[in-house]
């Protein structure tokens, strides 16, 4: 896979408690320049109709619900996401090989399956947290192990921090997509993100897609912010 067929590299995270401000933002964005991400909060409040509404506006959509359950249930949930027409959806790699394979196999039976990516170790978890859960080794070692498990279990990629992308990229197949939040353009503040990287550095580290929220959603001119990030990448 070459980077030229990845399409827009920026995924705008819509994190709003209601549809009004989200739709207002989206009306000023360009589907040629970005994709959209809907997560647990908006999906739980607004449901599948909201997702269909955004797709109806011409945007490709990442439905970020991070499924983690028994293989049959996760496969069925991924199929339901695919039926909504989403471009990407995700699961937790810690659900294991059989869960990921079941989801991947189910999607491969569909006409135009969405990309299916796995979350490795949540970036909110530190060493103490993962030791307490019972995972041996460092967070970075666990990310790498789970990335390789995801790659060999039929996933199309993983979600990871741009710092982890650098370690993961050489250890997975070329077509394996790395989706990275925690990106802050040079003109933006860090907000509550701790380990951040600029868009250009994230891409340089091997990221394929950048999940960016507040630097775009909170900008006075979101379309201009999007364009500025595009030129930082270019
Ligand atoms: O506003 P901001 O750019 O920080 O938004 C980042 C988005 O990526 C949010 O939707 C957040 O939930 C998500 N995310 C993250 N860090 C992770 C995984 C997801 O910031 N490790």
């Amino acid at each position: 896979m070459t980077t030229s067929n990845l399409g827009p590299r920026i995924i705008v995270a819509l994190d709003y408690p209601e549809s009004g401000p989200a739709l207002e933002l989206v009306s000023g964005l360009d589907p040629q320049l970005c994709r959209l991400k809907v997560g647990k909060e908006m999906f739980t409040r607004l449901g599948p109709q909201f997702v269909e509404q955004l797709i109806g506006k011409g945007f490709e959509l990442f439905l970020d619900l991070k499924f983690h359950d028994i293989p049959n249930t996760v496969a069925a949930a991924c199929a339901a996401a695919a039926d909504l027409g989403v471009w990407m959806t995700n699961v937790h790699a810690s659900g294991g090989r059989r869960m990921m394979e079941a989801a991947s196999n189910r999607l491969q039976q569909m006409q135009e399956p969405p990309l299916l990516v796995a979350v490795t170790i949540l970036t909110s978890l530190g060493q103490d947290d993962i030791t307490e859960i019972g995972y041996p080794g460092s967070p970075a070692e666990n990310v790498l192990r789970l990335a390789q498990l995801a790659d060999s279990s039929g996933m199309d990629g993983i979600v990871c921090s741009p710092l982890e992308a650098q370690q993961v990229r050489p250890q997975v197949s070329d077509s394996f997509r790395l989706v990275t939040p925690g990106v802050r353009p040079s003109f933006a503040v860090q907000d509550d993100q701790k380990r951040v990287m600029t868009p250009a550095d994230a891409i340089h580290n091997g990221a394929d897609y950048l999940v960016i929220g507040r630097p775009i959603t909170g900008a006075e001119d979101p379309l201009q912010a999007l364009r500025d990030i595009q030129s930082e990448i270019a």
Side-chain angles (χ1 to χ4, degrees):
M1 185 184 59
T2 62
T3 53
S4 58
N5 53 24
L6 290 171
R9 312 281 289 264
I10 298 171
I11 304 172
V12 179
L14 297 180
D15 293 312
Y16 294 97
E18 57 197 5
S19 63
L23 291 171
E24 192 184 320
L25 172 88
V26 167
S27 68
L29 296 178
D30 179 352
Q32 303 294 321
L33 293 184
C34 67
R35 291 163 162 125
L36 304 175
K37 179 173 90 72
V38 168
K40 288 187 174 84
E41 180 186 11
M42 293 209 88
F43 190 78
T44 304
R45 286 192 188 280
L46 302 166
Q49 296 80 1
F50 180 62
V51 167
E52 286 170 333
Q53 193 177 0
L54 296 172
I55 294 171
K57 293 179 185 295
F59 287 90
E60 291 193 312
L61 193 135
F62 172 18
L63 186 61
D64 177 20
L65 298 182
K66 300 185 182 70
F67 297 127
H68 187 170
D69 211 310
I70 60 171
N72 188 53
T73 300
V74 168
C78 289
D83 286 339
L84 286 176
V86 305
W87 160 74
M88 175 181 277
T89 191
N90 58 359
V91 300
H92 272 283
S94 54
R97 178 181 297 281
R98 282 191 302 111
M99 187 202 79
M100 289 189 276
E101 285 180 348
S104 169
N105 291 340
R106 182 73 173 266
L107 290 184
Q108 290 319 310
Q109 292 165 19
M110 306 185 83
Q111 284 248 312
E112 282 186 52
L115 292 171
L116 183 59
V117 299
V119 175
T120 53
I121 297 288
L122 292 168
T123 49
S124 53
L125 298 178
Q127 181 69 63
D128 291 351
D129 301 303
I130 68 160
T131 302
E132 188 175 39
I133 293 169
Y135 292 157
S138 67
E141 285 165 340
N142 281 278
V143 167
L144 194 55
R145 193 186 69 251
L146 289 167
Q148 290 170 319
L149 176 65
D151 194 14
S152 69
S153 301
M155 296 297 97
D156 297 305
I158 55 165
V159 182
C160 64
S161 86
L163 294 144
E164 293 157 359
Q166 195 172 25
Q167 292 165 295
V168 170
R169 185 78 273 171
Q171 307 294 333
V172 290
S173 28
D174 284 349
S175 61
F176 198 67
R177 270 82 152 188
L178 304 185
V179 181
T180 63
V183 175
R184 283 293 174 271
S186 48
F187 62 79
V189 294
Q190 286 197 202
D191 299 306
D192 56 355
Q193 295 282 13
K194 295 254 183 317
R195 301 192 303 143
V196 298
M197 209 174 252
T198 66
D201 286 344
I203 299 270
H204 181 74
N205 271 3
D208 295 295
Y209 298 113
L210 311 177
V211 174
I212 306 178
R214 288 159 291 177
I216 294 171
T217 60
E220 221 165 272
D221 183 346
L223 185 59
Q224 190 54 47
L226 188 54
R227 291 200 176 114
D228 289 346
I229 297 170
Q230 290 282 5
S231 34
E232 275 196 44
I233 297 174

